């Protein structure tokens, strides 16, 4: 359950940042553009949040695997 909540919070955080950036950039043009850009920014942010969460987990898994002794191909 904790993992699901953490993933949802990660998505929400990135979605909020994406919406803020999109809204700010769109607001330079018009109100309609701000609304549209905020929606698109939120979608992009949520996607990045989902991918980043899974990438962080994979990196952690790889680094934990690397801590094991490995056989060297060349002798020193």
């Amino acid at each position: 359950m904790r993992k699901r909540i953490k993933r949802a919070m990660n998505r929400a955080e990135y979605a909020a940042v994406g919406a803020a950036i999109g809204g700010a950039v769109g607001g330079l043009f018009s109100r309609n553009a701000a609304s549209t850009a905020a929606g698109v920014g939120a979608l992009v942010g949520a996607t990045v949040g989902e991918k980043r969460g899974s990438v962080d987990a994979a990196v952690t898994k790889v680094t934990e695997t690397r801590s094991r002794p490995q056989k060297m191909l060349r002798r020193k």
Side-chain angles (χ1 to χ4, degrees), residues 26-60:
L28 296 174
F29 300 105
S30 70
R31 288 182 188 171
N32 288 336
S35 175
T36 302
V40 171
L43 180 63
V44 170
T47 303
V48 168
E50 180 71 27
K51 297 297 180 188
R52 177 150 184 182
S54 61
V55 168
D56 288 344
V59 168
T60 303

Side-chain angles (χ1 to χ4, degrees), residues 1 9 16 18 21-22 26-27 33 35-36 38 40 50-51 62-63 65:
M1 187 65 165
M9 292 300 291
I21 293 171
S35 175
T36 302
V40 171
E50 180 71 27
K51 297 297 180 188
V62 168
T63 55
T65 304

